PDB file of all heavy atoms in Angstrom:
ATOM      1  N   ASP A  12      91.978 101.942  95.603  1.00  0.00           N
ATOM      2  CA  ASP A  12      93.119 102.395  96.362  1.00  0.00           C
ATOM      3  C   ASP A  12      93.654 101.302  97.325  1.00  0.00           C
ATOM      4  O   ASP A  12      94.832 101.361  97.731  1.00  0.00           O
ATOM      5  CB  ASP A  12      92.829 103.669  97.122  1.00  0.00           C
ATOM      6  CG  ASP A  12      92.866 104.906  96.207  1.00  0.00           C
ATOM      7  OD1 ASP A  12      93.522 104.800  95.144  1.00  0.00           O
ATOM      8  OD2 ASP A  12      92.253 105.920  96.538  1.00  0.00           O
ATOM      9  N   ALA A  13      92.751 100.427  97.709  1.00  0.00           N
ATOM     10  CA  ALA A  13      93.208  99.330  98.609  1.00  0.00           C
ATOM     11  C   ALA A  13      94.332  98.514  97.987  1.00  0.00           C
ATOM     12  O   ALA A  13      95.155  97.886  98.707  1.00  0.00           O
ATOM     13  CB  ALA A  13      92.037  98.391  98.909  1.00  0.00           C
ATOM     14  N   TYR A  14      94.396  98.475  96.627  1.00  0.00           N
ATOM     15  CA  TYR A  14      95.446  97.767  95.958  1.00  0.00           C
ATOM     16  C   TYR A  14      96.619  98.638  95.500  1.00  0.00           C
ATOM     17  O   TYR A  14      97.598  98.151  94.948  1.00  0.00           O
ATOM     18  CB  TYR A  14      94.846  97.042  94.745  1.00  0.00           C
ATOM     19  CG  TYR A  14      93.853  95.964  95.156  1.00  0.00           C
ATOM     20  CD1 TYR A  14      92.508  96.244  95.220  1.00  0.00           C
ATOM     21  CD2 TYR A  14      94.276  94.733  95.591  1.00  0.00           C
ATOM     22  CE1 TYR A  14      91.572  95.339  95.639  1.00  0.00           C
ATOM     23  CE2 TYR A  14      93.373  93.757  96.032  1.00  0.00           C
ATOM     24  CZ  TYR A  14      92.001  94.115  96.060  1.00  0.00           C
ATOM     25  OH  TYR A  14      91.100  93.157  96.543  1.00  0.00           O
ATOM     26  N   VAL A  15      96.534  99.932  95.768  1.00  0.00           N
ATOM     27  CA  VAL A  15      97.627 100.859  95.531  1.00  0.00           C
ATOM     28  C   VAL A  15      98.484 101.096  96.748  1.00  0.00           C
ATOM     29  O   VAL A  15      99.699 101.087  96.691  1.00  0.00           O
ATOM     30  CB  VAL A  15      97.050 102.213  94.990  1.00  0.00           C
ATOM     31  CG1 VAL A  15      98.163 103.236  94.850  1.00  0.00           C
ATOM     32  CG2 VAL A  15      96.327 102.048  93.678  1.00  0.00           C
ATOM     33  N   ILE A  16      97.791 101.295  97.867  1.00  0.00           N
ATOM     34  CA  ILE A  16      98.504 101.650  99.132  1.00  0.00           C
ATOM     35  C   ILE A  16      99.638 100.714  99.499  1.00  0.00           C
ATOM     36  O   ILE A  16     100.712 101.199  99.889  1.00  0.00           O
ATOM     37  CB  ILE A  16      97.444 101.793 100.278  1.00  0.00           C
ATOM     38  CG1 ILE A  16      96.622 103.052 100.012  1.00  0.00           C
ATOM     39  CG2 ILE A  16      98.160 101.902 101.621  1.00  0.00           C
ATOM     40  CD1 ILE A  16      95.417 103.220 100.994  1.00  0.00           C
ATOM     41  N   PRO A  17      99.507  99.374  99.432  1.00  0.00           N
ATOM     42  CA  PRO A  17     100.636  98.555  99.833  1.00  0.00           C
ATOM     43  C   PRO A  17     101.888  98.780  99.052  1.00  0.00           C
ATOM     44  O   PRO A  17     103.002  98.553  99.534  1.00  0.00           O
ATOM     45  CB  PRO A  17     100.082  97.068  99.561  1.00  0.00           C
ATOM     46  CG  PRO A  17      98.620  97.208  99.738  1.00  0.00           C
ATOM     47  CD  PRO A  17      98.304  98.562  99.136  1.00  0.00           C
ATOM     48  N   HIS A  18     101.774  99.307  97.810  1.00  0.00           N
ATOM     49  CA  HIS A  18     102.957  99.614  97.035  1.00  0.00           C
ATOM     50  C   HIS A  18     103.753 100.778  97.606  1.00  0.00           C
ATOM     51  O   HIS A  18     104.947 100.958  97.300  1.00  0.00           O
ATOM     52  CB  HIS A  18     102.569  99.968  95.595  1.00  0.00           C
ATOM     53  CG  HIS A  18     102.042  98.806  94.783  1.00  0.00           C
ATOM     54  ND1 HIS A  18     102.842  97.707  94.434  1.00  0.00           N
ATOM     55  CD2 HIS A  18     100.821  98.521  94.303  1.00  0.00           C
ATOM     56  CE1 HIS A  18     102.126  96.893  93.723  1.00  0.00           C
ATOM     57  NE2 HIS A  18     100.900  97.326  93.666  1.00  0.00           N
ATOM     58  N   PHE A  19     103.158 101.578  98.508  1.00  0.00           N
ATOM     59  CA  PHE A  19     103.812 102.695  99.083  1.00  0.00           C
ATOM     60  C   PHE A  19     104.772 102.308 100.214  1.00  0.00           C
ATOM     61  O   PHE A  19     105.584 103.096 100.675  1.00  0.00           O
ATOM     62  CB  PHE A  19     102.832 103.749  99.608  1.00  0.00           C
ATOM     63  CG  PHE A  19     101.913 104.327  98.632  1.00  0.00           C
ATOM     64  CD1 PHE A  19     100.753 104.953  99.015  1.00  0.00           C
ATOM     65  CD2 PHE A  19     102.151 104.265  97.296  1.00  0.00           C
ATOM     66  CE1 PHE A  19      99.881 105.539  98.143  1.00  0.00           C
ATOM     67  CE2 PHE A  19     101.270 104.812  96.348  1.00  0.00           C
ATOM     68  CZ  PHE A  19     100.138 105.490  96.810  1.00  0.00           C
ATOM     69  N   ALA A  20     104.651 101.068 100.678  1.00  0.00           N
ATOM     70  CA  ALA A  20     105.361 100.648 101.886  1.00  0.00           C
ATOM     71  C   ALA A  20     106.847 100.457 101.678  1.00  0.00           C
ATOM     72  O   ALA A  20     107.634 100.497 102.614  1.00  0.00           O
ATOM     73  CB  ALA A  20     104.707  99.394 102.492  1.00  0.00           C
ATOM     74  N   GLY A  21     107.208 100.126 100.447  1.00  0.00           N
ATOM     75  CA  GLY A  21     108.621  99.891 100.159  1.00  0.00           C
ATOM     76  C   GLY A  21     109.078  98.543 100.711  1.00  0.00           C
ATOM     77  O   GLY A  21     110.273  98.314 100.873  1.00  0.00           O
ATOM     78  N   MET A  22     108.149  97.612 100.961  1.00  0.00           N
ATOM     79  CA  MET A  22     108.466  96.264 101.449  1.00  0.00           C
ATOM     80  C   MET A  22     107.849  95.236 100.517  1.00  0.00           C
ATOM     81  O   MET A  22     106.816  95.471  99.882  1.00  0.00           O
ATOM     82  CB  MET A  22     107.932  96.084 102.828  1.00  0.00           C
ATOM     83  CG  MET A  22     108.650  96.921 103.929  1.00  0.00           C
ATOM     84  SD  MET A  22     107.943  96.744 105.569  1.00  0.00           S
ATOM     85  CE  MET A  22     106.515  97.847 105.490  1.00  0.00           C
ATOM     86  N   GLU A  23     108.469  94.085 100.457  1.00  0.00           N
ATOM     87  CA  GLU A  23     108.054  93.018  99.559  1.00  0.00           C
ATOM     88  C   GLU A  23     106.752  92.419 100.095  1.00  0.00           C
ATOM     89  O   GLU A  23     106.611  92.204 101.332  1.00  0.00           O
ATOM     90  CB  GLU A  23     109.096  91.957  99.453  1.00  0.00           C
ATOM     91  CG  GLU A  23     108.803  90.892  98.388  1.00  0.00           C
ATOM     92  CD  GLU A  23     109.979  89.904  98.251  1.00  0.00           C
ATOM     93  OE1 GLU A  23     110.808  89.823  99.190  1.00  0.00           O
ATOM     94  OE2 GLU A  23     109.995  89.196  97.237  1.00  0.00           O
ATOM     95  N   PHE A  24     105.814  92.087  99.198  1.00  0.00           N
ATOM     96  CA  PHE A  24     104.543  91.469  99.589  1.00  0.00           C
ATOM     97  C   PHE A  24     103.945  90.776  98.386  1.00  0.00           C
ATOM     98  O   PHE A  24     104.420  90.940  97.230  1.00  0.00           O
ATOM     99  CB  PHE A  24     103.561  92.510 100.118  1.00  0.00           C
ATOM    100  CG  PHE A  24     102.977  93.420  99.103  1.00  0.00           C
ATOM    101  CD1 PHE A  24     101.725  93.166  98.532  1.00  0.00           C
ATOM    102  CD2 PHE A  24     103.649  94.557  98.644  1.00  0.00           C
ATOM    103  CE1 PHE A  24     101.159  93.997  97.557  1.00  0.00           C
ATOM    104  CE2 PHE A  24     103.082  95.387  97.693  1.00  0.00           C
ATOM    105  CZ  PHE A  24     101.855  95.096  97.137  1.00  0.00           C
ATOM    106  N   ALA A  25     102.938  89.944  98.611  1.00  0.00           N
ATOM    107  CA  ALA A  25     102.207  89.295  97.533  1.00  0.00           C
ATOM    108  C   ALA A  25     100.767  89.073  97.962  1.00  0.00           C
ATOM    109  O   ALA A  25     100.526  88.645  99.116  1.00  0.00           O
ATOM    110  CB  ALA A  25     102.865  87.975  97.141  1.00  0.00           C
ATOM    111  N   TYR A  26      99.854  89.301  97.076  1.00  0.00           N
ATOM    112  CA  TYR A  26      98.429  89.066  97.382  1.00  0.00           C
ATOM    113  C   TYR A  26      98.199  87.582  97.430  1.00  0.00           C
ATOM    114  O   TYR A  26      98.763  86.778  96.673  1.00  0.00           O
ATOM    115  CB  TYR A  26      97.531  89.698  96.328  1.00  0.00           C
ATOM    116  CG  TYR A  26      97.573  91.231  96.406  1.00  0.00           C
ATOM    117  CD1 TYR A  26      98.237  91.977  95.422  1.00  0.00           C
ATOM    118  CD2 TYR A  26      97.004  91.883  97.480  1.00  0.00           C
ATOM    119  CE1 TYR A  26      98.261  93.375  95.521  1.00  0.00           C
ATOM    120  CE2 TYR A  26      97.045  93.245  97.570  1.00  0.00           C
ATOM    121  CZ  TYR A  26      97.639  94.018  96.590  1.00  0.00           C
ATOM    122  OH  TYR A  26      97.734  95.359  96.700  1.00  0.00           O
ATOM    123  N   THR A  27      97.329  87.156  98.386  1.00  0.00           N
ATOM    124  CA  THR A  27      97.056  85.744  98.635  1.00  0.00           C
ATOM    125  C   THR A  27      95.600  85.558  98.965  1.00  0.00           C
ATOM    126  O   THR A  27      94.815  86.497  98.986  1.00  0.00           O
ATOM    127  CB  THR A  27      97.970  85.243  99.752  1.00  0.00           C
ATOM    128  OG1 THR A  27      97.806  83.817  99.882  1.00  0.00           O
ATOM    129  CG2 THR A  27      97.622  85.863 101.067  1.00  0.00           C
ATOM    130  N   GLU A  28      95.191  84.311  99.234  1.00  0.00           N
ATOM    131  CA  GLU A  28      93.831  83.943  99.581  1.00  0.00           C
ATOM    132  C   GLU A  28      92.806  84.545  98.593  1.00  0.00           C
ATOM    133  O   GLU A  28      92.957  84.368  97.403  1.00  0.00           O
ATOM    134  CB  GLU A  28      93.556  84.458 101.025  1.00  0.00           C
ATOM    135  CG  GLU A  28      94.473  83.846 102.068  1.00  0.00           C
ATOM    136  CD  GLU A  28      94.288  82.388 102.329  1.00  0.00           C
ATOM    137  OE1 GLU A  28      93.107  81.923 102.165  1.00  0.00           O
ATOM    138  OE2 GLU A  28      95.203  81.685 102.714  1.00  0.00           O
ATOM    139  N   ILE A  29      91.758  85.240  99.068  1.00  0.00           N
ATOM    140  CA  ILE A  29      90.746  85.743  98.181  1.00  0.00           C
ATOM    141  C   ILE A  29      91.345  86.656  97.124  1.00  0.00           C
ATOM    142  O   ILE A  29      90.963  86.667  95.981  1.00  0.00           O
ATOM    143  CB  ILE A  29      89.690  86.527  98.970  1.00  0.00           C
ATOM    144  CG1 ILE A  29      88.887  85.601  99.898  1.00  0.00           C
ATOM    145  CG2 ILE A  29      88.711  87.265  98.038  1.00  0.00           C
ATOM    146  CD1 ILE A  29      87.921  86.331 100.830  1.00  0.00           C
ATOM    147  N   ASP A  30      92.378  87.381  97.533  1.00  0.00           N
ATOM    148  CA  ASP A  30      92.981  88.402  96.617  1.00  0.00           C
ATOM    149  C   ASP A  30      93.851  87.726  95.541  1.00  0.00           C
ATOM    150  O   ASP A  30      94.032  88.289  94.464  1.00  0.00           O
ATOM    151  CB  ASP A  30      93.767  89.426  97.378  1.00  0.00           C
ATOM    152  CG  ASP A  30      92.832  90.433  98.000  1.00  0.00           C
ATOM    153  OD1 ASP A  30      92.047  91.044  97.267  1.00  0.00           O
ATOM    154  OD2 ASP A  30      92.812  90.592  99.227  1.00  0.00           O
ATOM    155  N   ALA A  31      94.358  86.528  95.801  1.00  0.00           N
ATOM    156  CA  ALA A  31      95.034  85.813  94.734  1.00  0.00           C
ATOM    157  C   ALA A  31      94.090  85.462  93.648  1.00  0.00           C
ATOM    158  O   ALA A  31      94.378  85.656  92.422  1.00  0.00           O
ATOM    159  CB  ALA A  31      95.706  84.538  95.297  1.00  0.00           C
ATOM    160  N   ALA A  32      92.908  85.004  93.985  1.00  0.00           N
ATOM    161  CA  ALA A  32      91.863  84.689  93.014  1.00  0.00           C
ATOM    162  C   ALA A  32      91.424  86.009  92.315  1.00  0.00           C
ATOM    163  O   ALA A  32      91.224  86.025  91.082  1.00  0.00           O
ATOM    164  CB  ALA A  32      90.697  84.000  93.678  1.00  0.00           C
ATOM    165  N   TYR A  33      91.256  87.051  93.087  1.00  0.00           N
ATOM    166  CA  TYR A  33      90.849  88.341  92.561  1.00  0.00           C
ATOM    167  C   TYR A  33      91.860  88.893  91.513  1.00  0.00           C
ATOM    168  O   TYR A  33      91.497  89.306  90.400  1.00  0.00           O
ATOM    169  CB  TYR A  33      90.685  89.324  93.687  1.00  0.00           C
ATOM    170  CG  TYR A  33      90.283  90.752  93.262  1.00  0.00           C
ATOM    171  CD1 TYR A  33      88.970  91.029  92.900  1.00  0.00           C
ATOM    172  CD2 TYR A  33      91.204  91.778  93.254  1.00  0.00           C
ATOM    173  CE1 TYR A  33      88.594  92.280  92.549  1.00  0.00           C
ATOM    174  CE2 TYR A  33      90.834  93.078  92.887  1.00  0.00           C
ATOM    175  CZ  TYR A  33      89.539  93.333  92.531  1.00  0.00           C
ATOM    176  OH  TYR A  33      89.147  94.598  92.184  1.00  0.00           O
ATOM    177  N   VAL A  34      93.137  88.802  91.825  1.00  0.00           N
ATOM    178  CA  VAL A  34      94.191  89.318  90.936  1.00  0.00           C
ATOM    179  C   VAL A  34      94.328  88.444  89.662  1.00  0.00           C
ATOM    180  O   VAL A  34      94.357  88.989  88.556  1.00  0.00           O
ATOM    181  CB  VAL A  34      95.511  89.455  91.679  1.00  0.00           C
ATOM    182  CG1 VAL A  34      96.649  89.785  90.679  1.00  0.00           C
ATOM    183  CG2 VAL A  34      95.458  90.534  92.738  1.00  0.00           C
ATOM    184  N   TRP A  35      94.384  87.108  89.873  1.00  0.00           N
ATOM    185  CA  TRP A  35      94.582  86.226  88.719  1.00  0.00           C
ATOM    186  C   TRP A  35      93.384  86.278  87.767  1.00  0.00           C
ATOM    187  O   TRP A  35      93.526  85.955  86.586  1.00  0.00           O
ATOM    188  CB  TRP A  35      94.835  84.792  89.180  1.00  0.00           C
ATOM    189  CG  TRP A  35      96.288  84.576  89.547  1.00  0.00           C
ATOM    190  CD1 TRP A  35      96.786  84.379  90.760  1.00  0.00           C
ATOM    191  CD2 TRP A  35      97.382  84.514  88.655  1.00  0.00           C
ATOM    192  NE1 TRP A  35      98.169  84.212  90.778  1.00  0.00           N
ATOM    193  CE2 TRP A  35      98.519  84.260  89.423  1.00  0.00           C
ATOM    194  CE3 TRP A  35      97.543  84.608  87.282  1.00  0.00           C
ATOM    195  CZ2 TRP A  35      99.834  84.139  88.894  1.00  0.00           C
ATOM    196  CZ3 TRP A  35      98.822  84.515  86.699  1.00  0.00           C
ATOM    197  CH2 TRP A  35      99.940  84.257  87.483  1.00  0.00           C
ATOM    198  N   THR A  36      92.171  86.625  88.312  1.00  0.00           N
ATOM    199  CA  THR A  36      91.024  86.736  87.403  1.00  0.00           C
ATOM    200  C   THR A  36      90.809  88.187  86.943  1.00  0.00           C
ATOM    201  O   THR A  36      89.715  88.534  86.436  1.00  0.00           O
ATOM    202  CB  THR A  36      89.724  86.232  88.071  1.00  0.00           C
ATOM    203  OG1 THR A  36      89.452  86.983  89.257  1.00  0.00           O
ATOM    204  CG2 THR A  36      89.898  84.746  88.413  1.00  0.00           C
ATOM    205  N   HIS A  37      91.803  89.042  87.140  1.00  0.00           N
ATOM    206  CA  HIS A  37      91.774  90.456  86.749  1.00  0.00           C
ATOM    207  C   HIS A  37      90.534  91.166  87.363  1.00  0.00           C
ATOM    208  O   HIS A  37      89.899  91.963  86.670  1.00  0.00           O
ATOM    209  CB  HIS A  37      91.716  90.578  85.210  1.00  0.00           C
ATOM    210  CG  HIS A  37      92.763  89.743  84.520  1.00  0.00           C
ATOM    211  ND1 HIS A  37      94.125  89.982  84.617  1.00  0.00           N
ATOM    212  CD2 HIS A  37      92.653  88.576  83.760  1.00  0.00           C
ATOM    213  CE1 HIS A  37      94.775  89.065  83.902  1.00  0.00           C
ATOM    214  NE2 HIS A  37      93.903  88.191  83.401  1.00  0.00           N
ATOM    215  N   GLY A  38      90.278  90.867  88.600  1.00  0.00           N
ATOM    216  CA  GLY A  38      89.144  91.472  89.255  1.00  0.00           C
ATOM    217  C   GLY A  38      87.806  90.868  88.865  1.00  0.00           C
ATOM    218  O   GLY A  38      86.748  91.391  89.290  1.00  0.00           O
ATOM    219  N   GLY A  39      87.814  89.739  88.220  1.00  0.00           N
ATOM    220  CA  GLY A  39      86.584  89.141  87.780  1.00  0.00           C
ATOM    221  C   GLY A  39      85.881  88.260  88.825  1.00  0.00           C
ATOM    222  O   GLY A  39      84.743  87.810  88.605  1.00  0.00           O
ATOM    223  N   PHE A  40      86.555  88.021  89.925  1.00  0.00           N
ATOM    224  CA  PHE A  40      85.974  87.156  90.968  1.00  0.00           C
ATOM    225  C   PHE A  40      86.045  87.810  92.351  1.00  0.00           C
ATOM    226  O   PHE A  40      87.126  88.269  92.761  1.00  0.00           O
ATOM    227  CB  PHE A  40      86.698  85.810  91.052  1.00  0.00           C
ATOM    228  CG  PHE A  40      86.215  84.922  92.118  1.00  0.00           C
ATOM    229  CD1 PHE A  40      85.036  84.218  91.977  1.00  0.00           C
ATOM    230  CD2 PHE A  40      86.890  84.821  93.347  1.00  0.00           C
ATOM    231  CE1 PHE A  40      84.588  83.355  92.987  1.00  0.00           C
ATOM    232  CE2 PHE A  40      86.419  83.980  94.362  1.00  0.00           C
ATOM    233  CZ  PHE A  40      85.271  83.267  94.189  1.00  0.00           C
ATOM    234  N   GLN A  41      84.907  87.917  92.989  1.00  0.00           N
ATOM    235  CA  GLN A  41      84.845  88.419  94.380  1.00  0.00           C
ATOM    236  C   GLN A  41      84.015  87.443  95.205  1.00  0.00           C
ATOM    237  O   GLN A  41      83.070  86.860  94.686  1.00  0.00           O
ATOM    238  CB  GLN A  41      84.171  89.802  94.414  1.00  0.00           C
ATOM    239  CG  GLN A  41      85.088  90.975  94.053  1.00  0.00           C
ATOM    240  CD  GLN A  41      86.018  91.310  95.184  1.00  0.00           C
ATOM    241  OE1 GLN A  41      86.362  90.518  96.044  1.00  0.00           O
ATOM    242  NE2 GLN A  41      86.510  92.578  95.206  1.00  0.00           N
ATOM    243  N   ILE A  42      84.338  87.328  96.478  1.00  0.00           N
ATOM    244  CA  ILE A  42      83.579  86.487  97.347  1.00  0.00           C
ATOM    245  C   ILE A  42      83.709  87.005  98.786  1.00  0.00           C
ATOM    246  O   ILE A  42      84.803  87.440  99.202  1.00  0.00           O
ATOM    247  CB  ILE A  42      84.007  85.026  97.275  1.00  0.00           C
ATOM    248  CG1 ILE A  42      83.093  84.101  98.087  1.00  0.00           C
ATOM    249  CG2 ILE A  42      85.470  84.914  97.674  1.00  0.00           C
ATOM    250  CD1 ILE A  42      83.387  82.602  97.937  1.00  0.00           C
ATOM    251  N   ALA A  43      82.653  86.993  99.461  1.00  0.00           N
ATOM    252  CA  ALA A  43      82.616  87.227 100.999  1.00  0.00           C
ATOM    253  C   ALA A  43      83.200  88.599 101.283  1.00  0.00           C
ATOM    254  O   ALA A  43      83.828  88.745 102.332  1.00  0.00           O
ATOM    255  CB  ALA A  43      83.327  86.109 101.694  1.00  0.00           C
ATOM    256  N   ARG A  44      82.977  89.646 100.443  1.00  0.00           N
ATOM    257  CA  ARG A  44      83.471  90.992 100.753  1.00  0.00           C
ATOM    258  C   ARG A  44      82.376  91.961 100.296  1.00  0.00           C
ATOM    259  O   ARG A  44      81.579  91.663  99.397  1.00  0.00           O
ATOM    260  CB  ARG A  44      84.753  91.319 100.054  1.00  0.00           C
ATOM    261  CG  ARG A  44      85.916  90.511 100.569  1.00  0.00           C
ATOM    262  CD  ARG A  44      87.270  91.098 100.151  1.00  0.00           C
ATOM    263  NE  ARG A  44      87.618  90.879  98.796  1.00  0.00           N
ATOM    264  CZ  ARG A  44      88.853  90.856  98.311  1.00  0.00           C
ATOM    265  NH1 ARG A  44      89.853  91.080  99.132  1.00  0.00           N
ATOM    266  NH2 ARG A  44      89.095  90.682  97.059  1.00  0.00           N
ATOM    267  N   SER A  45      82.374  93.111 100.943  1.00  0.00           N
ATOM    268  CA  SER A  45      81.438  94.167 100.591  1.00  0.00           C
ATOM    269  C   SER A  45      82.187  95.529 100.727  1.00  0.00           C
ATOM    270  O   SER A  45      83.296  95.581 101.206  1.00  0.00           O
ATOM    271  CB  SER A  45      80.218  94.160 101.489  1.00  0.00           C
ATOM    272  OG  SER A  45      80.583  94.508 102.830  1.00  0.00           O
ATOM    273  N   HIS A  46      81.564  96.580 100.251  1.00  0.00           N
ATOM    274  CA  HIS A  46      82.145  97.921 100.360  1.00  0.00           C
ATOM    275  C   HIS A  46      82.348  98.310 101.824  1.00  0.00           C
ATOM    276  O   HIS A  46      83.250  99.099 102.145  1.00  0.00           O
ATOM    277  CB  HIS A  46      81.323  98.942  99.662  1.00  0.00           C
ATOM    278  CG  HIS A  46      81.306  98.797  98.128  1.00  0.00           C
ATOM    279  ND1 HIS A  46      82.446  98.992  97.353  1.00  0.00           N
ATOM    280  CD2 HIS A  46      80.351  98.432  97.269  1.00  0.00           C
ATOM    281  CE1 HIS A  46      82.171  98.772  96.116  1.00  0.00           C
ATOM    282  NE2 HIS A  46      80.890  98.450  96.008  1.00  0.00           N
ATOM    283  N   ASP A  47      81.495  97.795 102.707  1.00  0.00           N
ATOM    284  CA  ASP A  47      81.601  98.160 104.139  1.00  0.00           C
ATOM    285  C   ASP A  47      82.549  97.204 104.889  1.00  0.00           C
ATOM    286  O   ASP A  47      82.980  97.543 106.028  1.00  0.00           O
ATOM    287  CB  ASP A  47      80.218  98.077 104.791  1.00  0.00           C
ATOM    288  CG  ASP A  47      79.260  99.134 104.197  1.00  0.00           C
ATOM    289  OD1 ASP A  47      79.719 100.190 103.775  1.00  0.00           O
ATOM    290  OD2 ASP A  47      78.055  98.796 104.136  1.00  0.00           O
ATOM    291  N   ASP A  48      82.927  96.111 104.294  1.00  0.00           N
ATOM    292  CA  ASP A  48      83.835  95.134 104.938  1.00  0.00           C
ATOM    293  C   ASP A  48      84.732  94.556 103.877  1.00  0.00           C
ATOM    294  O   ASP A  48      84.379  93.550 103.285  1.00  0.00           O
ATOM    295  CB  ASP A  48      82.981  94.091 105.638  1.00  0.00           C
ATOM    296  CG  ASP A  48      83.843  93.004 106.298  1.00  0.00           C
ATOM    297  OD1 ASP A  48      85.021  93.307 106.615  1.00  0.00           O
ATOM    298  OD2 ASP A  48      83.371  91.858 106.463  1.00  0.00           O
TER     299      ASP A  48
END
């Protein structure tokens, strides 16, 4: 849902930094994140 909620804002955005890698690898790459953070 963390990747669904921004779509509700009705404003333009783009994923960047860690999430750019996460999106371009179709969720295949994660780094320095956990379920609690």
Side-chain angles (χ1 to χ4, degrees):
D12 281 339
Y14 296 95
V15 174
I16 289 173
H18 290 293
F19 299 163
M22 292 177 278
E23 190 177 17
F24 72 97
Y26 291 108
T27 187
E28 302 290 331
I29 295 173
D30 283 301
Y33 179 76
V34 171
W35 278 108
T36 60
H37 313 290
F40 176 79
Q41 280 283 26
I42 186 173
R44 292 196 285 204
S45 67
H46 290 295
D47 296 329
D48 177 25

